[in-house]
Amino acid sequence: MASMAACLLMITTIFSILHLSFGLSSDYYSKTCPKGEEAVTDAVKKAVANDQTVPAALLRMHFHDCFIRGCDGSVLLKSNGNNTAEKDGPPNISLHAFYVIDKAKKAVESLCPGVVSCADILAIAARDVVVLSGGPTWEVPKGRKDGRISKASETIQLPSPTFNLSQLQQSFSQRGLSIEDLVALSGGHTLGFSHCSSFQNRIHNFDGSHDIDPSLNPSFASSLRSVCPMHNKVKNAGATMDSTSASFDNTYYKLLLQGKSLFSSDQALLAHPKTKGLVSKFASSQGAFSQAFVKSMIKMSSLTGGQEVRLDCKVVN
Ligand code: HEM
Ligand SMILES: *[C@@H]1O[C@H](CO)[C@@H](O)[C@H](O)[C@H]1NC(C)=O
Ligand SMILES: *[C@@H]1O[C@H](CO)[C@@H](O)[C@H](O)[C@H]1NC(C)=O
Ligand SMILES: *[C@@H]1O[C@H](CO)[C@@H](O)[C@H](O)[C@H]1NC(C)=O
């Protein structure tokens, strides 16, 4: 009986936590802004047609938003005289395409002023770019509020590409995300591009006994070294995240198993049988990856934190 009471208590606790952080719903704007989501999707489609770097940029932007103070649009705020914002913090390398969110917000504001949050627009856009890149679709839960605080100094809370598995696990678990979420969401690295600085540690002075990370495939490592020499002078030099970096697919996991991933944090997913097992599963099944990715995206994007609906995504009300 005692264990049943404990079990009931646990279930009610879980439900109340879910209720608090998941106070979101896919029909949140069905009365107040029924055409809002479509307007966001249209704006994203137009931008992607003009600029192929937009999908990866918006997916990464949503991840950064959610990992600092929850998905509250804080990544979208610009710095002002009093404050240096997240977007000007150190790991902002390659954060771009903010203009797409501003355009989507304008379109939505003209339909229903002051109703749809910037954080929701970014979450919708992140889903849209996955779909436009050939990935799975899902209903985006909505009802996030925008935050009023954005600090460059807090970007150190983001996981670093040099993290090992226990550091990654800690960073995710602090946000209620599991090992499965870590492996599935790392699949976001199927899209886009990285600058040399993010994987420099693996290809020069790796450790006391190796210049190059021995877990890297040797020919892949030499191709990385040729685009990223030790004293790299080319401004935007780097490499694509995987060999099909415009398609949302499971190639990232296949290459990871061959020692062809860019970051130590990618390679780290092979360090434990459990995470390695998930990598193998996703490498052999696109369907298993898609399903897991959708589930984990919904979980990550339900980390909320704000309190207002911003009128301009770049500045607080
Ligand atoms: C697991 C921890 C993660 C680490 C350490 C990490 C780190 C990085 C780094 C260092 C870059 C390259 C930045 C540059 O040099 O330009 C990058 C790019 C990227 N990341 Fe992650 N990331 C992580 C998780 C995620 C997640 C969860 C997503 C989304 C679901 C994501 C999506 C992306 C995308 C799409 C790019 C390419 C950006 C572009 O081409 O503009 N990452 N990541
Ligand atoms: C800086 O903060 C002060 C006091 O809160 C405020 O009056 C001023 O407008 C702020 N400056 C900027 C550029 O936001
Ligand atoms: C990144 O931060 C630097 C300054 O720290 C800033 O000059 C640059 O505009 C920022 N990039 C983006 C995309 O906001
Ligand atoms: C991961 O890195 C941390 C910090 O550098 C270190 O303390 C820890 O021992 C490392 N864990 C493993 C399993 O290598």
Side-chain angles (χ1 to χ4, degrees):
M1 274 324 271
S3 74
M4 196 163 137
C7 187
L8 271 177
L9 179 68
M10 209 173 86
I11 291 172
T12 26
T13 316
I14 290 171
F15 271 100
S16 60
I17 292 170
L18 286 180
H19 193 76
L20 280 180
S21 60
F22 288 44
L24 305 176
S25 67
S26 35
D27 59 358
Y28 189 82
Y29 297 114
S30 64
K31 295 222 165 59
T32 51
C33 197
K35 295 266 188 294
E37 185 156 343
E38 207 178 302
V40 174
T41 304
D42 278 351
V44 172
K45 271 191 190 150
K46 283 201 185 95
V48 171
N50 285 319
D51 180 354
Q52 294 185 347
T53 70
V54 165
L58 295 182
L59 181 57
R60 181 165 186 246
M61 195 187 290
H62 180 52
F63 156 60
H64 280 207
D65 189 29
C66 296
F67 263 55
I68 302 174
R69 298 180 169 271
C71 320
D72 67 343
S74 55
V75 71
L76 304 168
L77 289 171
K78 61 177 185 192
S79 299
N80 63 31
N82 294 327
N83 180 51
T84 309
E86 282 168 37
K87 61 157 54 156
D88 294 319
N92 79 346
I93 186 164
S94 93
L95 271 187
H96 64 283
F98 291 99
Y99 72 91
V100 183
I101 301 303
D102 293 330
K103 281 198 170 160
K105 175 68 169 173
K106 278 215 179 80
V108 173
E109 285 300 292
S110 71
L111 292 173
C112 12
V115 171
V116 182
S117 67
C118 297
D120 277 347
I121 291 175
L122 182 50
I124 294 165
R127 186 273 318 274
D128 291 340
V129 293
V130 169
V131 175
L132 291 168
S133 309
T137 191
W138 63 94
E139 289 277 346
V140 177
K142 291 164 290 279
R144 293 166 196 76
K145 291 287 190 302
D146 298 320
R148 298 179 52 84
I149 299 170
S150 177
K151 291 184 193 303
S153 59
E154 291 180 348
T155 57
I156 54 161
Q157 296 168 12
L158 289 166
S160 147
T162 62
F163 271 12
N164 63 28
L165 185 58
S166 44
Q167 292 170 303
L168 289 169
Q169 186 177 2
Q170 194 190 0
S171 165
F172 275 62
S173 73
Q174 281 167 353
R175 294 160 175 91
L177 299 173
S178 67
I179 277 283
E180 287 82 0
D181 297 321
L182 166 65
V183 179
L185 290 171
S186 294
H189 290 167
T190 179
L191 291 183
F193 174 87
S194 167
H195 295 84
C196 297
S197 56
S198 303
F199 52 87
Q200 183 82 1
N201 70 306
R202 299 184 80 192
I203 55 172
H204 303 287
N205 297 323
F206 177 65
D207 66 16
S209 37
H210 306 93
D211 192 27
I212 298 177
D213 181 344
S215 66
L216 274 172
N217 168 291
S219 64
F220 182 67
S222 42
S223 74
L224 293 181
R225 270 164 68 109
S226 69
V227 274
C228 303
M230 173 98 99
H231 300 292
N232 167 39
K233 297 221 172 57
V234 183
K235 193 163 164 256
N236 276 318
T240 55
M241 302 291 285
D242 76 8
S243 58
T244 58
S245 65
S247 338
F248 193 97
D249 58 19
N250 64 343
T251 306
Y252 161 82
Y253 297 101
K254 294 182 185 166
L255 294 175
L256 176 53
L257 289 172
Q258 298 167 27
K260 297 177 182 169
S261 66
L262 290 183
F263 309 138
S264 298
S265 59
D266 297 317
Q267 179 66 32
L269 302 179
L270 303 179
H272 188 277
K274 182 163 182 200
T275 48
K276 187 176 182 178
L278 289 165
V279 170
S280 302
K281 178 174 155 190
F282 298 155
S284 61
S285 168
Q286 171 94 29
F289 166 49
S290 293
Q291 213 177 6
F293 185 80
V294 165
K295 190 169 161 234
S296 297
M297 275 295 278
I298 291 174
K299 212 166 142 188
M300 178 178 81
S301 78
S302 302
L303 301 165
T304 51
Q307 56 280 112
E308 65 183 26
V309 172
R310 230 177 267 153
L311 298 174
D312 173 344
C313 294
K314 298 186 291 307
V315 291
V316 300
N317 290 347

